[in-house]
Amino acid sequence: MDPEVISNFLVEQREAAPENLQQNFLDIEDYWDRKLWHQLTDTLITYYHDPASSSQRLPLFRRFILSFAEKINQLKFVSLGLSAATQCSDDRERLTFLTDLTEKVDKPASQDAYVYSLVAASEVKLRLQDYDGTRKDLNKAESILDTFDSVETEVHASFYRTNASYYQAKHDFAAYYKNALLYLACIDLKNLTHDDAQGRAYDLSVAALISDSIYNFGELLLHPILNSLVSTEHAWLRDLLFAFNRGDLAAYNVLENNITKCALLEEHKTFLWQKISLSALTEAVFRRPPHDRAMTFATISRETHVQPEEIEILIMKALSLGLLRGSIDQVAEIARINWVQPKVLDMKQIDNMRVRLKDWDSSVNQLGHWIEGVGKDVWAA
């Protein structure tokens, strides 16, 4: 493009810009004249981050930035393109814009930028409910990401965020839970708005509860994102998670009425009862010392509030899910458990463990005194 045309265009844009942003244009013009591409890119990124620049992002990108696109960092080029894409009139126009952007950076030396742009395009396809197209793009992005030794966290964060959104739309709650947590691991939580943090905590909590393959919420319970639900209308959901973690049937009964506030939880209400029953079973086993884990069906029924005729199915389910290890004596109606899946402990559970350790210490002392008493002659000799 003719440098004079670009120069005139920049003057027009500077005069149309808000007064507080006109200095940015003077810097942009200066860096462009001197071909200082790095400084020019950083100034443009700063300018694009200002909300007041919104109306000028698309024309600047199309008539100015594209003229030197190959001379700047391709990841930053895509970042500028994504900012410009927010000003497209609708998702159809936005998808066309991002598809062109993706093709421009599809080169061996800029595969990180290609993935970044490809994921952004897949996010638009997801909003347009093109699930097959979204999955195809995300699979391609993932295969490229797997070949990198390292990549900017913003690229990974973009991938995990969009992948999580896809699985949420498809109601694959376990995959959503995994990708949503990976996304949170790639970002600084301080950059999330309060509403966004609260929304993600809410969605993660619901996914953890209704997934048929997630029975250990430890990573979520320890994550600071969950604190965004404290003292809000959704605080009950956080309490419900902790109730499930400790198999607290009494707390579940108190919080159960809140389930109607969430359509997904209401839809899975029967499953939630089965899940809390399994948690109550593992908690009952955990509270017992290792040498006293042969439990009758009647004891398990009393601990879990499950009908006696359904106890065997409950134990078999726990064994098949890997929550417990052991055997069942169907004739004697006894379950012999030799292992229980580790999980995050709350303060009450830690206190129970403290009591058990004190009992163990007391037993060891008693054994020591007994050995000392019956072995006096041996020690003397």
Side-chain angles (χ1 to χ4, degrees):
M1 187 179 288
D2 186 346
E4 186 176 349
V5 172
I6 293 178
S7 182
N8 291 336
F9 171 73
L10 290 176
V11 171
E12 292 173 6
Q13 292 297 307
R14 169 162 49 84
E15 292 174 350
E19 187 175 346
N20 64 313
L21 293 179
Q22 291 187 2
Q23 179 58 48
N24 293 77
F25 268 100
L26 292 173
D27 293 336
I28 289 170
E29 292 174 55
D30 178 45
Y31 294 143
W32 179 72
D33 284 337
R34 296 161 60 193
K35 295 182 173 53
L36 298 176
W37 307 121
H38 175 72
Q39 291 87 336
L40 175 58
T41 305
D42 288 345
T43 302
L44 282 165
I45 288 176
T46 300
Y47 178 73
Y48 269 50
H49 282 172
D50 193 308
S53 71
S54 58
S55 63
Q56 294 179 300
R57 291 173 192 169
L58 266 177
L60 263 177
F61 189 85
R62 286 171 169 158
R63 297 181 60 183
F64 177 57
I65 295 173
L66 284 177
S67 68
F68 56 87
E70 295 183 357
K71 295 180 173 65
I72 64 175
N73 179 287
Q74 295 297 278
L75 195 58
K76 292 182 178 180
F77 169 60
V78 169
S79 180
L80 290 167
L82 298 188
S83 294
T86 62
Q87 302 309 305
C88 291
S89 59
D90 57 35
D91 277 336
R92 294 289 178 187
E93 181 188 349
R94 190 171 293 110
L95 181 58
T96 301
F97 178 89
L98 291 174
T99 301
D100 291 342
L101 178 64
T102 303
E103 290 174 356
K104 284 182 174 61
V105 293
D106 186 10
K107 302 168 187 174
S110 57
Q111 286 296 283
D112 54 346
Y114 173 69
V115 168
Y116 197 24
S117 186
L118 182 64
V119 168
S122 73
E123 190 171 13
V124 178
K125 289 181 181 179
L126 182 60
R127 288 201 296 271
L128 294 171
Q129 298 185 351
D130 178 8
Y131 297 120
D132 291 340
T134 301
R135 188 68 263 160
K136 181 181 178 181
D137 287 350
L138 288 173
N139 286 342
K140 189 172 185 179
E142 185 173 25
S143 66
I144 296 173
L145 282 171
D146 287 342
T147 66
F148 292 152
D149 292 329
S150 63
V151 68
E152 294 292 333
T153 54
E154 62 187 310
V155 179
H156 265 133
S158 174
F159 171 76
Y160 289 131
R161 185 188 66 247
T162 307
N163 215 23
S165 297
Y166 169 82
Y167 285 121
Q168 187 177 29
K170 300 295 286 183
H171 282 197
D172 187 339
F173 299 108
Y176 164 75
Y177 180 84
K178 173 187 174 184
N179 281 274
L181 284 174
L182 285 170
Y183 165 66
L184 293 176
C186 293
I187 65 169
D188 186 346
L189 294 182
K190 295 177 182 177
N191 293 331
L192 292 178
T193 65
H194 178 70
D195 288 344
D196 192 11
Q198 191 177 127
R200 293 187 181 282
Y202 181 90
D203 290 340
L204 272 166
S205 300
V206 171
L209 289 168
I210 63 180
S211 169
D212 60 3
S213 60
I214 300 173
Y215 288 84
N216 191 333
F217 312 138
E219 193 170 0
L220 178 56
L221 295 177
L222 294 174
H223 203 289
I225 194 76
L226 206 57
N227 293 331
S228 63
L229 297 178
V230 175
S231 300
T232 70
E233 60 180 322
H234 305 306
W236 62 270
L237 191 55
R238 180 179 182 275
D239 296 337
L240 189 62
L241 271 177
F242 279 95
F244 266 79
N245 185 63
R246 61 179 182 269
D248 192 336
L249 292 168
Y252 176 79
N253 291 333
V254 171
L255 296 166
E256 187 179 11
N257 291 335
N258 291 292
I259 288 175
T260 57
K261 298 176 181 177
C262 175
L264 277 173
L265 292 180
E266 177 71 13
E267 182 183 336
H268 292 80
K269 194 170 183 179
T270 301
F271 171 73
L272 289 175
W273 172 250
Q274 296 170 352
K275 196 166 186 175
I276 191 69
S277 298
L278 285 167
S279 185
L281 172 59
T282 58
E283 180 63 20
V285 174
F286 178 78
R287 285 199 306 264
R288 290 169 171 262
H291 62 272
D292 185 27
R293 288 183 174 172
M295 303 173 67
T296 65
F297 284 13
T299 300
I300 294 173
S301 178
R302 186 171 63 253
E303 294 274 2
T304 62
H305 298 179
V306 173
Q307 296 300 315
E309 63 271 16
E310 298 176 356
I311 292 301
E312 187 174 345
I313 296 175
L314 180 70
I315 300 169
M316 291 174 66
K317 182 74 172 176
L319 293 172
S320 67
L321 290 169
L323 304 177
L324 301 174
R325 292 177 191 164
S327 60
I328 303 174
D329 187 333
Q330 294 172 306
V331 177
E333 294 190 338
I334 293 176
R336 294 182 173 86
I337 310 300
N338 53 45
W339 180 87
V340 60
Q341 186 186 73
K343 59 182 177 180
V344 171
L345 305 180
D346 61 20
M347 294 306 296
K348 183 177 179 181
Q349 291 170 308
I350 291 173
D351 187 61
N352 288 336
M353 181 171 281
R354 180 186 64 82
V355 172
R356 283 170 51 191
L357 284 171
K358 287 182 67 178
D359 291 343
W360 174 80
D361 182 59
S362 177
S363 298
V364 170
N365 284 333
Q366 289 177 9
L367 179 61
H369 293 321
W370 178 80
I371 292 174
E372 184 180 355
V374 300
K376 286 181 179 178
D377 294 340
V378 177
W379 310 139

